[in-house]
Amino acid sequence: MRFKWLGKLMKMSSEISSILKQCGAIKFGRFKLTSGKESNYYIDLRTILAFPEQRKKLIKAYMKVIRENVSDFDCIVGVPTSGLAIASMVAYEMGKPLAYVRLDAREHGLMKGVEGYSGGGKAVVVDDVATTGGSILRAVKILREYEFEVKYAVVAVDREEGARENLAKEKVKLIAIAKISEILEELKEGEGN
């Protein structure tokens, strides 16, 4: 049974690698990340929005990991900006309410920190990529202030730079469709063919 589960993960990371490559969503060079860290690669899932077939595959992958890992939830919450587009498609396809957090305090209008669904309850946070988990942690803090229960965050790629551990400290499980180590290995193997 364990090997079957491992096979599923390998297939999903292979599919994510393929999607990133097909869409030009992974770039190599020198980049500054949201976390402030510098990296020799950058993953831009916003690029995938322009590729309908790859976008459908990505959304199906998100739905699959949510269905397999989260048994009970009331809404999908997007982390602006990349996570919001993905979350809206996932929420639509799963027939769930959508919310998003305002990571910066709003000083006009209704001054809400959570937009869209505001009924509280159990939320699954959706983002594109996790590095240290800083954006997700800010979103979780805001959601909890608005009486949402948050136990899960789902991303396409875990950059494996502390997000899993940082989220675990706040009792949030990070679920990644693929890890960067798997993606880089897939891309490296693909170059050999």
Side-chain angles (χ1 to χ4, degrees):
M1 184 79 164
R2 182 177 176 205
F3 294 112
K4 187 176 182 183
W5 177 78
L6 184 60
K8 282 182 185 180
L9 281 179
M10 297 290 279
K11 185 176 185 257
M12 289 184 81
S13 82
S14 180
E15 185 151 345
I16 294 297
S17 299
S18 176
I19 290 169
L20 293 173
K21 188 174 179 181
Q22 290 168 6
C23 300
I26 186 164
K27 309 271 188 220
F28 295 93
R30 193 152 187 84
F31 305 95
K32 186 170 184 174
L33 307 176
T34 305
S35 64
K37 291 185 170 193
E38 287 199 4
S39 177
N40 60 357
Y41 67 90
Y42 184 74
I43 298 171
D44 185 4
L45 265 75
R46 290 174 291 259
T47 306
I48 294 170
L49 299 175
F51 295 86
E53 289 306 312
Q54 288 79 8
R55 185 178 66 223
K56 285 178 195 172
K57 289 178 185 176
L58 179 67
I59 299 310
K60 283 182 182 178
Y62 270 92
M63 291 176 5
K64 182 176 175 57
V65 298
I66 291 170
R67 285 184 178 128
E68 290 177 356
N69 292 282
V70 185
S71 60
D72 181 30
F73 63 99
D74 300 306
C75 67
I76 301 287
V77 178
V79 177
T81 60
S82 296
L84 181 53
I86 294 165
S88 64
M89 289 181 272
V90 170
Y92 175 80
E93 290 295 330
M94 295 185 85
K96 291 288 188 176
L98 172 71
Y100 69 93
V101 292
R102 291 187 171 276
L103 297 179
D104 299 315
R106 194 159 182 213
E107 310 231 348
H108 61 282
L110 298 176
M111 297 184 278
K112 295 186 338 189
V114 178
E115 299 286 356
Y117 180 75
S118 60
K122 298 175 183 176
V124 175
V125 174
V126 170
D127 205 358
D128 59 346
V129 177
T131 303
T132 62
S135 296
I136 295 171
L137 286 168
R138 284 174 44 215
V140 167
K141 181 181 178 209
I142 293 165
L143 287 164
R144 287 177 174 165
E145 288 172 6
Y146 282 80
E147 299 184 13
F148 284 86
E149 180 182 333
V150 186
K151 291 184 179 179
Y152 301 96
V154 182
V155 296
V157 180
D158 177 1
R159 290 179 55 101
E160 301 176 280
E161 295 184 38
R164 183 173 305 280
E165 297 79 9
N166 290 335
L167 288 165
K169 289 175 190 171
E170 294 299 319
K171 297 184 176 24
V172 176
K173 180 180 179 182
L174 179 65
I175 303 166
I177 300 168
K179 296 177 183 175
I180 192 60
S181 57
E182 298 163 342
I183 291 169
L184 294 175
E185 186 62 33
E186 287 279 339
L187 294 174
K188 185 178 172 183
E189 287 176 11
E191 287 176 3
N193 294 334

